[in-house]
Amino acid sequence: MSTATPARRSAVPPPPRPPVKVYPGAVFPESSIFMIGYYPLTIEPHAVVHPRVRFTTLHGPVRIGPGAIISEKSMIGVQYTEQKQQKQQQQQPEQIPPATRTTVPGQGQGQAQEQGESSEGEKSQARKVESVTLERGVIIEPGAYVEAELVREGTVIEAGAKIGRGCHIGRFCKICPYITIPPGENLPDYTVVYGNGEGERRIDHAGATEPGLDELRLRMSSVHVNLLKKLVQVPPKKG
Amino acid sequence: MPPKAPKSEYIETDTGNKVSRRSIILGTPHIILGGRTAIQTEACLRGDLHRLSSPSTSTSTSAPGGTSVIAPSALIRPPSRLHRGTYTYVAQKIGDHVLVGERAVVEAASIGNHVVIGAGAVLGKFCIIKDGVKVLDGAVLPAGMVVPSGSVVGGRPARIVGEVGEGWGMLPGSEGADLRERIRAIA
């Protein structure tokens, strides 16, 4: 009778899908990219998105600039709201035994005030839009996690690096693998972050002083993009 | 009617390769598997990033050798560079009995035999790993690093931190040795 019964569907509503605008000339294998969110996702011309990239636009729009390269398994966009992250952090110190805490007189009042502030803060944060913008020629390597508000042109973020929310990364910076940039940092132009954890920083003086090097770097990435446009395949859909 | 047998996660080829259905393999004409190689869940092999100048499909972009294991979420992609004004991807070769750890990112030019790459290691572009090398977990090898045979590398950035012991890869079941048992266990 009912031979063509569809596969059992989950009762959970599907995650929200962002409105996507892909400009002509961009490589965007849509079937193999994870997208979640309400705000728009914009892929500008000549940007290359490899398969298995995860875009989150739950808390703000995401804009991928022209000629940017986003590698596999990287995550772009703010994942959690700030209050959720703060709650997670607040839960940790509560595990500390009470003896180690310092008592402050009038703590009750302070707490009440704090609570009032936080509830107001939550309201304002609920409206706060946390966008992510990657400018021209930005290269994101595999497994990087970018929540930064702005990554300026020509910057390279290497494998597994984590860029916190609200960061402003300057032009032609280089973030080495597995570096963590804490939220809200401003990196000046031509910064190189290397080493372990939050890493050490230096300024790439060659880039800063040599005239014409920026154009050469951008030209190299545009040549790379032209090649990728011919090569990147869309993975087949698996049944 | 008996319930349908669940589909196995792995597809086994004639030469004994076990390829997970949940792996991401692109550009299959450019990938040569050496036989008895296991490619696990969510591992990603990019054969589509090949050299354009050579039209023959026999040139392998990525060639994991025989009896190797590519662990879950590992990424193997060929290295690329600007060469004489054109940007090209270059063929990549991986030897026999190589274990690529979970979440590792491999952009090396060549990897020898009996190599163990730790979980989360990043092998930069055009790295050359000789035979019998151990790359520790989370190591970050800068682009173009050449690792001599028999060494242990680790750290960020990676340095040579020691030597593998005598008989590395000789004793069955020991590190760097034949991975046949491990591949047999994968089903």
Side-chain angles (χ1 to χ4, degrees):
Chain A
M1 196 177 78
S2 59
T3 46
T5 41
R8 199 159 43 137
R9 287 213 187 129
S10 164
V12 182
R17 234 180 119 78
V20 186
K21 176 147 196 193
V22 182
Y23 282 85
V27 177
F28 189 71
E30 199 168 340
S31 61
S32 64
I33 286 168
F34 302 105
M35 288 175 285
I36 181 168
Y38 311 100
Y39 289 92
L41 168 66
T42 314
I43 312 287
E44 292 198 16
H46 310 292
V48 175
V49 180
H50 284 279
R52 295 285 160 148
V53 176
R54 187 181 288 270
F55 289 105
T56 311
T57 66
L58 284 168
H59 309 294
V62 173
R63 192 174 190 88
I64 307 298
I69 301 170
I70 316 292
S71 297
E72 303 89 338
K73 295 173 187 184
S74 48
M75 291 187 280
I76 316 290
V78 175
Q79 301 282 326
Y80 301 109
T81 55
E82 207 161 345
Q83 65 242 41
K84 190 167 180 185
Q85 248 179 13
Q86 278 174 354
K87 269 179 199 166
Q88 282 171 349
Q89 282 165 4
Q90 277 168 0
Q91 276 166 3
Q92 284 165 350
E94 274 171 14
Q95 291 162 359
I96 300 167
T100 56
R101 283 197 198 164
T102 51
T103 49
V104 182
Q107 204 183 21
Q109 280 181 356
Q111 268 184 346
Q113 275 178 357
E114 271 173 26
Q115 276 173 0
E117 277 169 15
S118 71
S119 66
E120 275 172 26
E122 272 175 33
K123 275 178 200 163
S124 67
Q125 274 164 7
R127 274 183 257 118
K128 195 176 161 194
V129 174
E130 290 178 287
S131 65
V132 173
T133 306
L134 310 185
E135 280 192 358
R136 187 165 62 123
V138 168
I139 299 175
I140 311 285
E141 304 252 314
Y145 182 14
V146 181
E147 288 188 311
E149 196 175 340
L150 178 66
V151 180
R152 297 203 59 202
E153 62 174 0
T155 287
V156 182
I157 294 170
E158 294 198 343
K162 277 198 184 96
I163 316 293
R165 59 178 352 106
C167 281
H168 283 242
I169 310 292
R171 297 165 68 238
F172 298 99
C173 289
K174 183 170 183 167
I175 319 281
C176 286
Y178 292 116
I179 291 289
T180 306
I181 305 284
E185 287 245 343
N186 285 325
L187 285 192
D189 296 352
Y190 305 103
T191 307
V192 180
V193 188
Y194 61 101
N196 203 355
E198 288 188 19
E200 291 169 57
R201 289 171 194 191
R202 69 175 183 85
I203 299 290
D204 176 15
H205 290 290
T209 53
E210 196 83 28
L213 197 62
D214 299 354
E215 283 92 85
L216 279 176
R217 279 174 174 166
L218 285 175
R219 207 197 295 169
M220 175 156 154
S221 83
S222 79
V223 174
H224 190 182
V225 165
N226 286 338
L227 178 68
L228 285 173
K229 278 204 252 177
K230 292 178 199 155
L231 294 180
V232 172
Q233 282 183 1
V234 179
K237 268 199 167 178
K238 284 168 190 171
Chain B
M1 204 175 93
K4 219 186 201 173
K7 231 190 216 175
S8 152
E9 200 202 319
Y10 288 90
I11 301 167
E12 202 167 340
T13 65
D14 296 340
T15 45
N17 296 309
K18 285 180 177 176
V19 181
S20 169
R21 289 176 203 275
R22 292 171 65 197
S23 62
I24 308 141
I25 299 175
L26 298 171
T28 37
H30 301 281
I31 298 172
I32 298 167
L33 295 179
R36 279 195 297 247
T37 289
I39 297 167
Q40 292 187 281
T41 312
E42 292 285 317
C44 184
L45 269 77
R46 296 300 302 268
D48 55 340
L49 308 177
H50 62 279
R51 201 167 172 166
L52 271 182
S53 54
S54 57
S56 94
T57 49
S58 64
T59 51
S60 63
T61 283
S62 184
T67 342
S68 297
V69 172
I70 295 167
S73 297
L75 170 68
I76 311 242
R77 51 143 54 162
S80 58
R81 65 172 172 187
L82 194 64
H83 182 62
R84 292 186 183 164
T86 49
Y87 203 88
T88 49
Y89 277 90
V90 179
Q92 182 181 38
K93 194 184 179 308
I94 297 175
D96 297 342
H97 314 292
V98 173
L99 171 66
V100 179
E102 286 172 39
R103 304 179 313 281
V105 177
V106 177
E107 279 190 278
S110 87
I111 294 175
N113 303 326
H114 296 285
V115 173
V116 173
I117 295 165
V122 176
L123 273 61
K125 280 174 185 166
F126 293 100
C127 277
I128 296 171
I129 314 277
K130 300 280 171 92
D131 293 348
V133 169
K134 181 171 183 177
V135 179
L136 298 177
D137 289 1
V140 174
L141 273 69
M145 186 178 185
V146 179
V147 182
S149 67
S151 44
V152 177
V153 286
R156 292 176 186 172
R159 279 150 284 210
I160 294 168
V161 292
E163 283 180 16
V164 298
E166 284 283 314
W168 168 265
M170 303 297 279
L171 279 167
S174 68
E175 249 192 330
D178 214 321
L179 292 160
R180 233 170 276 181
E181 282 300 311
R182 187 169 167 159
I183 292 160
R184 205 170 289 151
I186 291 168

